[in-house]
Amino acid sequence: MTDNFKTINQTFNRLVAVACQFEPNSQIVDIQQYGSGNINSTYLVTPDTQPPFILQRLNTTVFCQPKLVMNNICILSDYVIRRLKNFEIGQNRRWSIPQVLLTSQQQNHYIAEDNSFWRAMSFIDRAQSFDTIQNIQHGQEIGYGLGMFHRLIDNLPVEQLADTLEGFHITPQYLQHYDRLVATQKIASSPEINYCLKFISDRPNLPHVLENAKAAKKLKLRIIHGDPKINNIMIDCLTNQAVAMIDLDTVKPGLIHYDIGDCLRSGCNRLGEETHDWEQVTFEPELAQAILRGYLEVTQDFLTENDYKYIYDSIRLLAFELGLRFFTDYLEGNVYFKVNYAEHNLARALVQFKLTESIEMRSTAVHQIIDELR
Ligand code: ADP
Ligand code: GN1
Ligand code: MG
């Protein structure tokens, strides 16, 4: 047996041992690495007598209170399951939420000997998610999916969930951190790095736009998803309809504008956030129209005047914020997002800044779309 093969075998056996904690009464037939998330490690587990399930190793550098994260997810999914019992979903539609699977010790997580933190979730079957937007109908379903998620929890009191990731989407805090880094660290020079540095320094007011609105009580805290990029919205393989939102680690109190902005920055960039063709990245208003149409179809009853007023700002801000987060992570040596090569986070930052620029250029069209839809 070669050393390489031995290591693969050991890793597989370790994964099986963890998977068995959640499914002690079956033989594990297969475990495959799954999905393309930037934070956790995800596996699809196939037992012999039970349906497949998702096994994840939580990134505890990012989520340093993993038990609280699991508590939030359990509270939210129990609430949604109860709510769905008396909820009229559109004709011929289905909607579900991943459920936390318990260990044989009735725990919602398992801590392995090496201190790694694991959890298992039910698998949303007959569905898939995409890293790039497929077409206008996909856009509308992405919007509907986020809208349905917000609608189902619109009465869940914010106090019920813990703030498991302080500072998440508080753009001024990301900026402060970045400013400190740039002031204390020698930054290399290249056309791409200089573009990013200038892009950020040219927009001193932008990072504050949503936090100012929150402080002025124009926008209020609600429970949010926190990470509604398009590959976290599952699409039915047959009907092409949105059927679930997954990746619930960032569910916590926040502004729904963080979600709206993140969903649109992710869904209106046809090249996707991993493209190497960053100079060609654009924000497409017709996709924004489709996403917002789908979103408002289910949420218009509880949105306020101010909620509408800040939609454009939120799209621009969330694209900028993600660019700032990627660029900062690049400067810090890739300590947060998973990367495949040293400049990966720089490449990702360029995509988001180019997208922000395109959003700014299409400001009139986007405002008009929002006005027409309300
Ligand atoms: P990350 O936090 O790293 O993004 P995710 O929870 O989004 O991890 O999972 C990564 C991928 O695994 C998703 O994009 C999706 O393809 C798949 N996935 C995760 N949870 C489920 C689920 N409950 N049902 C079906 N697929 C899932
Ligand atoms: C991360 O986990 P994943 O890949 O769905 C990140 C999001 C970013 C996204 C960009 C907890 O999401 O905030 O928008 O990457 N999640 C966290 O792809 O930081
Ligand atoms: Mg994800």
Side-chain angles (χ1 to χ4, degrees):
M1 210 186 275
T2 64
D3 283 355
N4 210 357
F5 190 75
K6 244 191 237 161
T7 319
I8 293 171
N9 228 4
Q10 277 169 355
T11 310
F12 182 79
N13 290 340
R14 246 182 262 138
L15 282 170
V16 170
V18 175
C20 283
Q21 300 293 325
F22 297 93
E23 192 51 77
N25 300 322
S26 302
Q27 293 285 340
I28 304 301
V29 179
D30 192 25
I31 302 190
Q32 298 283 339
Q33 229 167 18
Y34 203 66
S36 52
N38 289 332
I39 305 289
N40 297 319
S41 305
T42 302
Y43 303 89
L44 179 63
V45 180
T46 312
D48 59 351
T49 56
Q50 294 295 319
F53 65 91
I54 292 284
L55 179 68
Q56 289 180 306
R57 179 185 175 159
L58 223 69
N59 179 333
T60 47
T61 312
V62 171
F63 299 108
C64 48
Q65 293 175 289
K67 290 183 186 170
L68 271 189
V69 170
M70 292 313 295
N71 258 357
N72 274 2
I73 297 179
C74 290
I75 293 170
L76 180 107
S77 70
D78 288 352
Y79 181 89
V80 169
I81 287 163
R82 259 182 284 123
R83 182 92 207 271
L84 278 170
K85 289 193 175 131
N86 314 306
F87 193 88
E88 284 276 320
I89 306 173
Q91 253 190 347
N92 302 325
R93 272 197 178 265
R94 63 172 171 132
W95 184 264
S96 54
I97 183 159
Q99 289 186 51
V100 172
L101 306 180
L102 300 182
T103 65
S104 47
Q105 312 290 312
Q106 301 302 303
Q107 299 298 306
N108 60 25
H109 63 274
Y110 169 70
I111 301 177
E113 273 165 18
D114 61 359
N115 240 358
S116 52
F117 190 101
W118 297 83
R119 59 106 185 281
M121 309 287 287
S122 63
F123 182 68
I124 307 290
D125 64 346
R126 292 169 289 132
Q128 59 188 323
S129 71
F130 299 88
D131 290 336
T132 50
I133 195 88
Q134 305 295 295
N135 51 41
I136 295 284
Q137 194 213 343
H138 185 206
Q140 177 144 340
E141 287 300 318
I142 290 293
Y144 176 92
L146 178 62
M148 187 56 125
F149 185 87
H150 283 169
R151 172 84 189 275
L152 286 166
I153 54 171
D154 67 337
N155 282 321
L156 175 61
V158 281
E159 305 76 42
Q160 292 209 8
L161 297 198
D163 188 352
T164 45
L165 209 51
E166 268 178 48
F168 192 55
H169 294 313
I170 312 285
T171 322
Q173 285 190 27
Y174 293 117
L175 183 68
Q176 235 176 33
H177 180 73
Y178 161 83
D179 281 341
R180 233 177 289 131
L181 198 73
V182 172
T184 53
Q185 186 174 304
K186 187 164 167 26
I187 310 290
S189 176
S190 76
E192 289 80 14
I193 292 175
N194 296 344
Y195 169 85
C196 293
L197 292 168
K198 182 165 174 356
F199 197 89
I200 298 166
S201 65
D202 279 350
R203 289 163 180 75
N205 299 325
L206 175 57
H208 306 276
V209 58
L210 287 184
E211 297 317 304
N212 285 350
K214 185 163 83 186
K217 303 219 167 2
K218 292 182 182 165
L219 301 176
K220 63 167 187 187
L221 288 181
R222 290 158 157 143
I223 299 298
I224 62 162
H225 180 279
D227 189 6
K229 64 176 182 178
I230 63 168
N231 70 13
N232 286 331
I233 299 176
M234 303 298 294
I235 303 290
D236 187 289
C237 296
L238 278 182
T239 63
N240 296 325
Q241 290 176 331
V243 292
M245 284 199 76
I246 55 164
D247 202 349
L248 305 174
D249 298 322
T250 48
V251 161
K252 68 186 201 81
L255 297 179
I256 55 167
H257 289 73
Y258 303 151
D259 279 355
I260 298 171
D262 195 57
C263 186
L264 276 110
R265 67 110 202 124
S266 155
C268 300
N269 159 17
R270 277 194 199 269
L271 296 183
E273 57 188 73
E274 293 291 331
T275 181
H276 291 288
D277 222 355
W278 65 277
E279 281 168 305
Q280 301 306 316
V281 168
T282 56
F283 180 87
E284 291 200 22
E286 63 166 359
L287 286 168
Q289 184 182 39
I291 295 177
L292 285 171
R293 198 187 303 119
Y295 180 76
L296 295 172
E297 188 188 317
V298 260
T299 57
Q300 57 194 3
D301 288 355
F302 63 82
L303 295 187
T304 66
E305 264 310 290
N306 276 329
D307 285 336
Y308 282 98
K309 263 192 206 152
Y310 283 93
I311 290 179
Y312 169 78
D313 287 329
S314 73
I315 306 169
R316 179 179 174 223
L317 179 65
L318 269 285
F320 174 85
E321 179 193 274
L322 187 57
L324 176 65
R325 292 173 64 201
F326 281 143
F327 186 51
T328 306
D329 202 31
Y330 165 70
L331 297 177
E332 275 190 305
N334 309 315
V335 293
Y336 186 97
F337 296 101
K338 283 190 206 162
V339 289
N340 299 332
Y341 56 97
E343 285 79 33
H344 198 160
N345 277 319
L346 175 60
R348 289 166 167 161
L350 292 166
V351 171
Q352 295 303 317
F353 288 147
K354 200 71 192 165
L355 185 65
T356 311
E357 210 172 283
S358 176
I359 295 166
E360 291 167 351
M361 279 159 56
R362 287 159 178 75
S363 153
T364 311
V366 179
H367 276 108
Q368 202 176 327
I369 288 166
I370 297 164
D371 285 345
E372 281 166 10
L373 285 170
R374 60 204 284 189

